[in-house]
Amino acid sequence: MVVVIDPQIAGISGDMLLCSLVDLGADKKRVIDGIKKSEKFLSNSSIKKIDFQKIQKHGIESLQLILEIDEETHERKGSEIKKAITDSVKSIGLLEKSQKFAESCIDTLISSESKIHGIPEDSVHFHEASSIDTLIDIVGITIALEDLGLFEEKIVCLPVSVGGGTVTFSHGTMSNPASAILEIFKNSNLIIKGNDSKDELTTPTGACILVNLTNDSVEYYPSMKVDSIGYGAGQKNFETFSNTLKIIRGSQNNFVTDSVKILETNVDDVSGEILGNLIEKIMSKGAKDVSIYHGITKKGRPTNLVSVICDDDKMDDIIDSLVLETGTLGIRISNSNRFIVPRTTHSISLTLNGKSFVVNYKKSTFKGKTDFKIEFDDLKKISNTIGKSIKETESLLRKEIEKLEKL
C-alpha cells in the first residue's frame, strides 16, 4: 500500500490534514471523542462545538472542521502545550508509536521557535500556536492515523505549496514563507514551492506534522491503483483554486519505490582516460550509477553524455566533481521515481582451489522467481587469485551459491 499527500496547490494546515484523514475513512466518532477527552489537559480552554461537515470548495466536495472554542489566553509556553498533548495521547490509550509521533510533532514546532529566536527550548512561548487548536490538530491527526493504520504504510509527499506575499503575526510582518516554516522544512527531504497566492498556504502546525509523517518526497504520483481519496478543506476561500488538501490511498505492485536525482552534462573535449577516472571518483562519492553515452551534437561535434543517478544528499559533492574534472559549464538536474525489485544482501565463505574467499551477493524475488547477482568486485578478486576468467569464476561461484540457496 502507498499513501500520497498532495499539497501542491493549497498547501497544508493541521485542520486540512485532519479533515482529509477523516474523509479518507478514519472513524469520526473516535477522533471527536479523543479530542474531547484531551480538552481537560489544557487549562483556560474549552471546546464548545466540534464536528466535521461536507462543503463545496470550488466545486470539490470536501470535509471541513467545524470548531467553536472558548479561550482566555493568547500566549502559552511550548512546554505547556507539549505536556497537554503527551498527557492526552497517553490518556486516550493510543499505541506507543502513536504517542511518540504526537510528541515528535510538538517537539519540531518548539525546536523551530527555539532556533529562530535563539533561546532554550524550555523558554519558548507560543502565540499563534498557543491555542487549543494546536492540541486538537496533533491529537486528532494521531488518532486518525492510528485508526487508518497509516503508520504501517509507505507515505510520500508531493511538493508543498507555501504561497507568497507577506504574513503578519505576533512578531510583525515578514515575507512568506515565514521563518518557522523554513526552519521546519530545513532538515527535511520534502520540497516546498511558492506561487502567486498572496496568502500563507502552509501553517507551522501543518508543516511540523507533515515532516514527522514522511520524509519521502516525490515529484509525480507513483504508479498505483487508487483505492480511496480524502479531501480536507481549509478555512479560507480563494478565487482561483480550491483550498483543499488531497490524500490518496492505493495499492502498488511488489516493487519498492524511491526517488533519485539524475545529473546530466555533455562534454566534447575530454579524453577517455579522464572519463574513466571520473566514473571512479563519482562512484566513490556515493553515486548509485554512472553512464557515459557517445553521440553527435550541434555542428556535428562528437560528444559524451555523462549521466549520474544519485540521492539528494550526495548531489552537491558529485556536481563538484563533474565541474572540476570535466570543466563543464552546465549540469541538468531532474527528479525521477524508481521501481526497485526487493532484494537482500548475503555473504558466504567458500573454498576454491584450496583458498578461502568471502563472496557477497544480492538475492531478489519477483513473481515467485528467485535470482541472485554476485558482487563484481568479488568476482574480479577471486578470478585474479585462482587464475580463471571472470566467466569461469562466476560459473563456479553460482553453483556453490545455488547449492546453499537450494535453487
Side-chain angles (χ1 to χ4, degrees), residues 29 100-101 120 162 199 231 236 282 289 324 327 376-377 393:
K29 184 177 185 305
K100 288 182 177 178
F101 169 77
V162 294
D199 289 85
Y231 294 94
K236 297 178 182 178
I282 290 176
D289 197 12
L324 293 173
F376 184 77
D377 286 345
T393 303

Short mmCIF file of all heavy atoms in Angstrom, two decimals, residues 29 100-101 120 162 199 231 236 282 289 324 327 376-377 393:
data_model
loop_
_atom_site.label_atom_id
_atom_site.label_comp_id
_atom_site.label_asym_id
_atom_site.label_seq_id
_atom_site.Cartn_x
_atom_site.Cartn_y
_atom_site.Cartn_z
N LYS A 29 -16.18 9.44 14.97
CA LYS A 29 -16.56 9.44 16.39
C LYS A 29 -15.34 9.22 17.28
O LYS A 29 -15.19 9.88 18.31
CB LYS A 29 -17.60 8.35 16.65
CG LYS A 29 -18.12 8.34 18.07
CD LYS A 29 -19.20 7.28 18.27
CE LYS A 29 -19.81 7.35 19.66
NZ LYS A 29 -18.82 7.25 20.74
N LYS A 100 4.61 8.55 20.41
CA LYS A 100 5.91 9.13 20.02
C LYS A 100 5.76 10.08 18.84
O LYS A 100 6.43 11.11 18.77
CB LYS A 100 6.89 8.01 19.67
CG LYS A 100 7.38 7.22 20.88
CD LYS A 100 8.38 6.14 20.48
CE LYS A 100 8.90 5.41 21.70
NZ LYS A 100 9.85 4.32 21.33
N PHE A 101 4.86 9.73 17.91
CA PHE A 101 4.61 10.60 16.75
C PHE A 101 4.07 11.94 17.21
O PHE A 101 4.55 13.00 16.79
CB PHE A 101 3.63 9.93 15.79
CG PHE A 101 3.12 10.86 14.72
CD1 PHE A 101 3.91 11.19 13.63
CD2 PHE A 101 1.85 11.42 14.82
CE1 PHE A 101 3.45 12.06 12.65
CE2 PHE A 101 1.37 12.29 13.85
CZ PHE A 101 2.19 12.62 12.75
N PRO A 120 16.60 28.86 24.67
CA PRO A 120 16.45 27.43 25.01
C PRO A 120 15.02 26.96 24.75
O PRO A 120 14.07 27.76 24.82
CB PRO A 120 16.77 27.39 26.51
CG PRO A 120 17.54 28.65 26.79
CD PRO A 120 17.00 29.67 25.83
N VAL A 162 3.57 26.81 -0.48
CA VAL A 162 3.62 27.67 0.71
C VAL A 162 3.00 29.04 0.47
O VAL A 162 2.87 29.85 1.39
CB VAL A 162 5.07 27.84 1.21
CG1 VAL A 162 5.62 26.52 1.71
CG2 VAL A 162 5.98 28.43 0.13
N ASP A 199 -1.17 34.63 0.13
CA ASP A 199 -1.53 34.14 1.46
C ASP A 199 -0.58 33.05 1.92
O ASP A 199 0.08 32.39 1.11
CB ASP A 199 -2.95 33.57 1.45
CG ASP A 199 -4.00 34.65 1.32
OD1 ASP A 199 -4.30 35.06 0.19
OD2 ASP A 199 -4.52 35.07 2.37
N TYR A 231 -10.56 14.45 0.96
CA TYR A 231 -10.41 15.88 0.67
C TYR A 231 -10.65 16.65 1.97
O TYR A 231 -11.74 16.59 2.55
CB TYR A 231 -11.42 16.34 -0.37
CG TYR A 231 -11.22 15.75 -1.75
CD1 TYR A 231 -11.89 14.60 -2.15
CD2 TYR A 231 -10.34 16.35 -2.66
CE1 TYR A 231 -11.70 14.06 -3.41
CE2 TYR A 231 -10.15 15.83 -3.93
CZ TYR A 231 -10.83 14.68 -4.30
OH TYR A 231 -10.65 14.14 -5.55
N LYS A 236 -10.01 29.15 4.63
CA LYS A 236 -10.02 30.27 3.69
C LYS A 236 -10.65 29.87 2.36
O LYS A 236 -10.69 28.69 2.00
CB LYS A 236 -8.59 30.77 3.43
CG LYS A 236 -7.89 31.32 4.66
CD LYS A 236 -6.47 31.74 4.32
CE LYS A 236 -5.71 32.25 5.52
NZ LYS A 236 -4.31 32.62 5.19
N ILE A 282 33.21 9.63 -9.03
CA ILE A 282 31.80 9.86 -8.75
C ILE A 282 31.21 8.68 -7.96
O ILE A 282 30.43 8.88 -7.02
CB ILE A 282 31.02 10.09 -10.07
CG1 ILE A 282 31.42 11.44 -10.65
CG2 ILE A 282 29.52 10.03 -9.83
CD1 ILE A 282 30.80 11.74 -11.99
N ASP A 289 24.82 5.09 -9.80
CA ASP A 289 25.23 4.59 -11.11
C ASP A 289 25.76 5.76 -11.94
O ASP A 289 25.36 6.91 -11.75
CB ASP A 289 24.05 3.93 -11.83
CG ASP A 289 24.50 3.05 -12.99
OD1 ASP A 289 25.71 2.77 -13.08
OD2 ASP A 289 23.65 2.64 -13.80
N LEU A 324 34.72 20.11 -11.78
CA LEU A 324 36.17 20.19 -11.64
C LEU A 324 36.90 19.23 -12.58
O LEU A 324 37.98 19.55 -13.10
CB LEU A 324 36.57 19.89 -10.19
CG LEU A 324 36.12 20.94 -9.16
CD1 LEU A 324 36.41 20.45 -7.75
CD2 LEU A 324 36.82 22.27 -9.41
N GLY A 327 35.31 20.30 -16.56
CA GLY A 327 35.24 21.69 -16.99
C GLY A 327 33.91 22.06 -17.59
O GLY A 327 33.76 23.11 -18.22
N PHE A 376 30.54 -7.74 -8.38
CA PHE A 376 31.59 -7.85 -9.38
C PHE A 376 32.99 -7.72 -8.78
O PHE A 376 33.93 -8.39 -9.22
CB PHE A 376 31.41 -6.80 -10.47
CG PHE A 376 32.42 -6.93 -11.58
CD1 PHE A 376 32.27 -7.91 -12.55
CD2 PHE A 376 33.52 -6.09 -11.64
CE1 PHE A 376 33.21 -8.06 -13.57
CE2 PHE A 376 34.46 -6.23 -12.66
CZ PHE A 376 34.30 -7.21 -13.62
N ASP A 377 33.15 -6.87 -7.77
CA ASP A 377 34.47 -6.73 -7.15
C ASP A 377 34.95 -8.05 -6.58
O ASP A 377 36.16 -8.38 -6.64
CB ASP A 377 34.43 -5.67 -6.05
CG ASP A 377 34.36 -4.25 -6.61
OD1 ASP A 377 34.63 -4.09 -7.82
OD2 ASP A 377 34.04 -3.33 -5.85
N THR A 393 34.89 -18.16 -13.28
CA THR A 393 34.78 -17.94 -11.83
C THR A 393 33.32 -17.76 -11.43
O THR A 393 32.86 -18.32 -10.42
CB THR A 393 35.59 -16.70 -11.42
OG1 THR A 393 36.94 -16.86 -11.83
CG2 THR A 393 35.54 -16.49 -9.91
#
